[in-house]
Amino acid sequence: MTAMSMVQAINSALDCTMGRDPNVLVMGQDVGYFGGVFRCTEGLYQKYGAHRALDTPIAEGGIVAAAIGMGVNGLRPVVEMQFADYIYPAIDQIISELARLRHRSGGEFWAPVVVRAPSGGGIRGGQTHSQSPEGIFTHVCGLKTVMPSNPYDAKGLLISAIEDDDPVIFFEPKRIYNGPFYGHNAGGGRARTWAEHPAGEVPEGHYSIPLGKANVLRQGTEVTVLSYGTMVHVAEAAIEHSGVDAELIDLRTLLPLDIETIVESVEKTGRCVVIHEATRTSGFGAELVAEVQEECFWHLKAPIERVTGWDTPYPHAFEWEYFPSHERISDALRRAAACD
Amino acid sequence: MTAMSMVQAINSALDCTMGRDPNVLVMGQDVGYFGGVFRCTEGLYQKYGAHRALDTPIAEGGIVAAAIGMGVNGLRPVVEMQFADYIYPAIDQIISELARLRHRSGGEFWAPVVVRAPSGGGIRGGQTHSQSPEGIFTHVCGLKTVMPSNPYDAKGLLISAIEDDDPVIFFEPKRIYNGPFYGHNAGGGRARTWAEHPAGEVPEGHYSIPLGKANVLRQGTEVTVLSYGTMVHVAEAAIEHSGVDAELIDLRTLLPLDIETIVESVEKTGRCVVIHEATRTSGFGAELVAEVQEECFWHLKAPIERVTGWDTPYPHAFEWEYFPSHERISDALRRAAACD
Amino acid sequence: MTNSVDGAAVSAYASKLHIPRASSRPGETSDFQSLAIPPAGSLRQPPLDVSPQDTADLAHGMVRVLDDEGRAVGAWAPELTPRQLRAGLRHMLHVRAYDERMFRMQRQGKLSFYMKCTGEEAVAVAQAMALEDGDMLFPTYRQQGLLFVRGRPLVDMMCHCISNAGDNLKGRQMPVFYSWKQGNFFSISGNLATQYSQAVGWAMASAYKGEDHIAAAWVGDGSTAEADVHNAMLFAATYRAPVLLNVVNNQWAISTPQSFASTGTTFAARGLGFNIPSLRVDGNDFLAVYAVTRWAAARARAGHGPTFVELFTYRVEGHSTSDNPAGYRSSDEAAAWPLGDPIERLKQHLVNLGEWSDEQHTALAAELQASVAGDWKRAIALGTLEDGPHWPVESMFEDVFKEIPEHLRRQQEKVRAKS
Amino acid sequence: MTNSVDGAAVSAYASKLHIPRASSRPGETSDFQSLAIPPAGSLRQPPLDVSPQDTADLAHGMVRVLDDEGRAVGAWAPELTPRQLRAGLRHMLHVRAYDERMFRMQRQGKLSFYMKCTGEEAVAVAQAMALEDGDMLFPTYRQQGLLFVRGRPLVDMMCHCISNAGDNLKGRQMPVFYSWKQGNFFSISGNLATQYSQAVGWAMASAYKGEDHIAAAWVGDGSTAEADVHNAMLFAATYRAPVLLNVVNNQWAISTPQSFASTGTTFAARGLGFNIPSLRVDGNDFLAVYAVTRWAAARARAGHGPTFVELFTYRVEGHSTSDNPAGYRSSDEAAAWPLGDPIERLKQHLVNLGEWSDEQHTALAAELQASVAGDWKRAIALGTLEDGPHWPVESMFEDVFKEIPEHLRRQQEKVRAKS
Ligand SMILES: Cc1ncc(C[n+]2csc(CCOP(=O)(O)OP(=O)(O)O)c2C)c(N)n1
Ligand SMILES: Cc1ncc(C[n+]2csc(CCOP(=O)(O)OP(=O)(O)O)c2C)c(N)n1
Ligand SMILES: [Mg+2]
Ligand SMILES: [Mg+2]
C-alpha cells in the first residue's frame, strides 16, 4: 500500500493495465510526452513509448472515432478528454457508434473503449471547465458510466473499466484529484490531502472494484443519501453538520446502477436525499428519484429531495453559491428527517 | 380553418413567419429546392428564394454553427435536422454555444435559432431513424424544448418558437406527421388522417400557442397521465381501453415545464403515470417523476410509474414490442388505480 | 427592396449570398458537357513514395484506362487476366440483378426500404478485387458489391434485409445496413461518414501491432461535408495510417447536388490540403478503379501512408426507395452522363479482347437473375418481415452490453411475460 | 517481440505507427533552421479575384515585407503613414505591458487564470487596424490586441478578468474570455474553434442582408484540428461568405507541437483543398500582416468570398498561467525563433524611417506600464475576485433565458433567501 492522490491512483491503474496487456494504450491531447495537463498519464510515454501514450490532434470526435477503430482491431484504448466539457464534439461517435456497435452488428463488432473525462467544478474553471455531464451518458443505452470519489476506488474502478469489454465513460471529479473536499468552508479538522485520508492508501499492483456496485460509506437510520464523486465528501461533512443519522451511499457506478443496495437502504430509512453537482433538471438525480420512488414507494415517509447545481451555467465568480453546500444539504436532510 | 396534416401545419407556420419577417429563413439538408424529405419546407424555395430556403452541406455541426452566426447577425434561422438521430454532430454547437451564448456574454449576444428535428419511431426506421433524444436537451440550461402532438399545436408552437428570442429545440413526432396513431392495433374507429381529427383544423393565418403551457386533453379523476408527441394518442386510446378514468395532459413544452397544471391534476387524482417513447433510464420521464413526487408527495396514493421505450436501441423488426403499447399503458393505469 | 428569385419570391433584402447550382433541375438540360474529362491513358502513374503535392495533376485530372473503343490504354492499365475481368463483370451483373430484385420486392412490401447502386457497380467490385481478404472494409450503404466479391451468400444478405430469423443482425437494423465480420466487412452505420474516421483508427491499430493489413473506407460526395471526414483525413495524414480513403462522387446526395460539398473543385483536391496523395478516377471504368486501388493499397502496405481517391460516377437511380428524383433533377441526366455504364464498358473491353460475346452476356444476365430469384425463395423460406419467423423479441435486450445487466434483464422479463 | 522507444519502454509489438515530431523537446536543440523562410518581398500580390489554385505559391511560401534591415520591400509593402505605424507600435507595446501586469497579478492570486500573447502581438493589432469598425471579430483568447485597437477601456478588461462588480460578463466567465458587443468583438468561448464556423454564418447573414460588413475569425494551429474549422471552410467556400479565416500558427498547442495538426505541410495549404485563396504570412511582420489582411478584406467586400490566412508566429511564453513549457520544449526555442519579435521589428522599421528612436521607445514603454498600473488600481477599486464586490449572486439566474422562467425564479428565490 502506498499513499496516492487520485491522479497517482489513475496513473497507477493505467500503468498496471499497460504493463499487463500490450493492447492497452492511452490517447488524447497532451497525454503523451507531457503526461497530461492534470498529470494522469505522467511517465507512460517514457515507459511505454510514443505509440502507447499517444498525443493526438485537438479533435475530440476524431480521437474517439480512432479509438473505436482501434478497439474493433483488438486494442483497448483509454481516451482522455482534457475536460468533460469538451466531450460534446465526440458525442456523436460515442452515442451513435461506440454505444451501439455491438447491438447493431448482432454482436459481431464491439470496441472496448474507455473515455476518461475530468468533470465537475470547484477549481475556478468557469462554465467550460466545470461541467458534470454524466446524466446525458446514463440516458444512452450501451454505455457504462462511472465516477469514483477517492484514489482507492479510482484505481480499482478504472482497471475494471479498461478490462471490461463494454464502453465505459469514466468521469474523474477533478476537484478531488489531489485531496478530498468538504464544501466551501473546507476541512474542519478533516483530511486535506489524500495522504491523510484512508482511501488514499492504494495497492501498487493490480486489483479491481466491480462496476455496478455501490459503497455504503456510512450506516444510518434516518435518511439515505445518494451521491457520487466530489459530493460524497461534501455530503459526509454535511451529514455530520446536520446531526441527522444518515446512511451515505457512494454510487461509484451510475450505470449499471446498484439499485439493490439503494432499495435496501431506503426501505430501512424511509427517506432519501439525492445530491449531485450537475444541473438539476433531467440530471441523473431525476433517475435516482424516479427509481427509488417506484421501488420504495410504500416505505417512503418523506418526499425525496434533490440537492443539485442550479439550472444555470457554472459561474466563475459564484462557485460556492452554485455548488450544493453544507447548508443546502443539511436543510434537505433535516426536512426529510422531520417527516414521519 | 383548413384541414392540414402536421407536415402542412409546419409548412404553414414557416410560410407565415417568413412572410412577416424577412429575417426568418429555413436551412438544412434537402430543405431548399426539393422541399425536405418529409416535405415540411415544400414551396418555400419557390416562394422566398434560394437564400431563404437554404440547402446546406451534410454537416449538422456546420449548419447549427452557421445558424448561430446568422442569429447573432439579426436573422432568425429555422434549422431542419433531417432526423433527430442526426442531431448529435451538432450537439457541441447546441450545448456549448447556442444554449450558453446569452449567459456567458452577460446578455450581449444571443441567437434566436430554432432547431426542428423529426423524432420518434413507428416508421420502420430502425435505430438511426427512430430516436427520441428530447431528454438530453432538457438537461441543458438555456434551451427550450418543445414537442407537439397535432397539427394545430404544431403550427402555433412553431410560430412561438420562431418568434422567441431564446433557442428552441422543436421535436416533430414523425409517426404522426400525416395522421394520428393509436398504437400497434391501430384505429378502432378512430381518425386515420388529420383531416378526420379535430386538431387537424388549422387556421391559415398567424396564431401562436405560448411555450410552457400544457394542454389537458381529457379530464379524469383516477390517474394523471403525462405524455407528449405520438404517445399522447396512444395514451388516449389506452385510457379508453383500460376503463380507468384518467386525466390526460399533453405537455407540449417540456422545458419550461408547466408544472402548475401537472401539480393541480395530480393533487386531484393522487396518481400519476408518465409515458414516452424514449429509452427509460434518465429519460425526461425521470424528471417528471422526480418533480411530481417532490411537489405532490403528500397526495400520492400510488407509485408513479413510467411506461417508456426499453433501454435498447430501437429495433427494426420489433417496433411494436418496443413502443409503449396499449397493454403496457393499461396495465400501469390499472395498477395505479388499484392503489389507495 | 424586393428580390426576385426563380421568378417568384419577394423579400426585404437584396441578397448577395452565393448559392451553388445543380447540374440540372427538372425541365433543364444537364450541364455535363462542361465537365473536363481527360482522354483515357493521359495521366502518368507516379512512384509509390510520391510526395502528396506531386499528385496535384492526378487530383485535378482523372485517371482513365478504358477508351471509347473499350481498349485499355496508358500507364494505369492494370495486369488483369481475362478470367479476372470476367469475374468482375459477373460480380457487377450479379449486383445489378440483386438490386433490381430487392427494389421490386420493396415495392411489393416485402422489405421496408432498399438502396440500389445502379451505375456505380464498378466502384465496389473493382476495389474489392484489388484488395486483400485481410484488409478491413468500412463501407457505406452503396458498396454492396464488396460483399459479392468477398463471397457473402446472397441468402444471408436477403435475410438481413427482411429481418427474418436468418438475419445475422437479429432484426435490429434497417435493410442494407449490412455487417459481416467473417468477410472483414464493418457494420454499416445509419449515421453518415462515422465509419471514415473509425477506419483510420483501425489502420492505426494495424500499424501499432506491426501488421500488414490495411483499411479501406468509403463515403459519398455529400457526406464529405461531415466532420468525420475531416477527422479521418487529419488522423490518417498525422499518423501515416495504412488506409485507403475513398469518396464516391455520384453527383447527388438525395436532392442536393455535389456542388454543396465540392466547393467548386474536385473532391480529390481536398486530400492535397491534408498532404495526402490524392487522385480522381473514372468510377465507371473498372480497370482504372482497379489500378488506382491496387496502387493505393501497395502504397499503404509499403508504409507510405494513406491515399485519398475520388471515384467519379453517377447515381443513376433514386437515392433509395423513399426517394423521387424527378422532383429535383432533370429526367435526362442519367442518359447525358458522359462516362457511360460500367458494365457496358467492361463488357465492350472483354468483347474487344475476344474474351466475351453478346450471347454469353445475355446468358450470364439471365443465369444471375434466376440465381437471385432462387436465393430470394430460400431467404423468405426462413421468414418474412411481416409474418416472421423473426428472432425472439427478447433478443433485443442482448448485445446492448456483453452481458445483460440487471435492469435490462428485468425489462426483458416483462417482454417475455407478454410473449 | 520487444520494441524500445525513447530508450526505455518494452512492449509486445513492433509498432510501425508514425508519430509526428516536435520542433524540440527539453534538452534538444530546436530544428527551426530547417524552416524554409523566403526573403522579404519575394512573393507577388495577385489580383483580388485570383483563382484559389493560383495562390498555391502564397500558401506554401510566406508573405514577408520587412527585411532584416527593417526596410519594407516588395509588392506587399502596404501604404501606412508613420502615424499609423506608430499607433501600431503603441498598441503592441500596450498589449505587452497589459499581459505582463496581468500575469503578475495572477501570480499574486488576484486572478484565477491568465493567458499572454507575447511574441504574437502583431497578429491582432495589425489585423484590427486593417479591418473596418463594422466588421465582426470572432477571436480566440490570444487576440486581446483586437480590443486595444478597437478602443476598449483596459479597466473594463481588467474588471472582467477579476469578475468584479464592473465585469460586463457579470462574473460568469473565466479571465480572458472577453466579450464586447459595442466593439463588434464576439464573446470568446472556452470551447476551441466553435467561433470559426459561427463567423461564417455571421458573414452569410451579412451577404443575405446585402450588407458590406465582413467577419474575421481566428483559430490556433492546434485548434485547426477541430471539426468546426472544417465546417467553417466548407460553408465559407460553398456560399462564398465574406469572411477572413485566420490560423495563428504559433507552433504549439499547450505541449503539442503544430506537427500534430499541420500534416507536414502549411496550414494555408489546407485552404486550397476547399478552393479558398490561401496565404501564409510572417506573423511577426506587422506590415505583412496588415497588407495581407487589407487584401483579404477587400476581396471579401468586393464579393470574391473568403480568404484563408496562416499567420506564422511563435508562442514565446507558456500556454497560460497553468502551464509549464519547460516540461515539453527546449528552453532555447524562443531565442532560436527565426522571425524575431514583432515589436522590435516594427520599431527598427520606424527608426529606419527616421520616425522613431530608442529614447521614444523607452519612454513609451514606461508610459504604458504606468498607465496599465493606473488602470489596475481603478479596476480593483471596483472590486476584487476574492473579496468583491461582485455582481449579486442571484444575477447568475439571469440571461440563461431572455426572461427568467418559473423554475429558475424558484431556484433564484432559494439563493436570495440565503444571501
Ligand atoms: C449524419 C447524417 N445526416 C444525414 C443523414 C440523412 N442522409 C442519408 S443518405 C444522405 C445523402 C448522402 O449522400 P452521399 O454522401 O452523396 O451518398 P450517396 O447516397 O449519394 O451514395 C443523407 C443526407 C444521415 N443518414 N446521417
Ligand atoms: C474543444 C476543446 N478541446 C480542448 C480544449 C483544451 N485546450 C485549451 S487551449 C488548448 C490548446 C490550443 O492550441 P492552439 O489552437 O494552437 O492555440 P494557442 O493556445 O497556441 O493560441 C487546448 C487543447 C478546449 N479549450 N476546447
Ligand atoms: Mg452522392
Ligand atoms: Mg498554437
Side-chain angles (χ1 to χ4, degrees), chain A residues 87-92 95 136, chain B residues 60-61 64 87-97 136-137 140:
Chain A
I87 202 170
Y88 305 120
I91 224 171
D92 185 46
I95 295 182
I136 291 176
Chain B
E60 291 77 9
V64 171
I87 202 168
Y88 305 120
I91 223 171
D92 185 46
Q93 283 284 347
I94 293 174
I95 295 183
S96 307
E97 300 292 319
I136 291 176
F137 297 91
V140 178

Side-chain angles (χ1 to χ4, degrees), chain B residues 23 30 33-34 45-49 51 54-55 57-60 86 125 127-129 310-311 316-318 331, chain C residues 3 6 8-9 13 15 19 25-26 112 163 171-174 190-191 225-226 255-256 260 328 391 408 411 415 418:
Chain B
N23 294 313
D30 304 298
Y33 187 92
F34 186 48
Y45 178 102
Q46 288 70 21
K47 185 163 176 186
Y48 298 105
H51 63 299
L54 188 64
D55 280 313
I58 305 174
E60 291 77 9
Y86 305 140
Q127 60 170 305
T128 57
H129 303 85
W310 306 116
D311 280 327
H316 179 250
F318 308 121
D331 287 355
Chain C
N3 177 29
D6 285 49
Y13 296 120
S15 169
I19 314 285
R25 291 301 191 186
S112 61
S163 287
R172 293 174 190 157
Q173 283 278 57
M174 272 177 78
N191 301 62
E226 287 289 2
S255 79
T256 307
F260 280 82
Y328 54 78
W391 281 73
L408 274 180
Q411 295 181 12
V415 169
K418 290 274 169 200

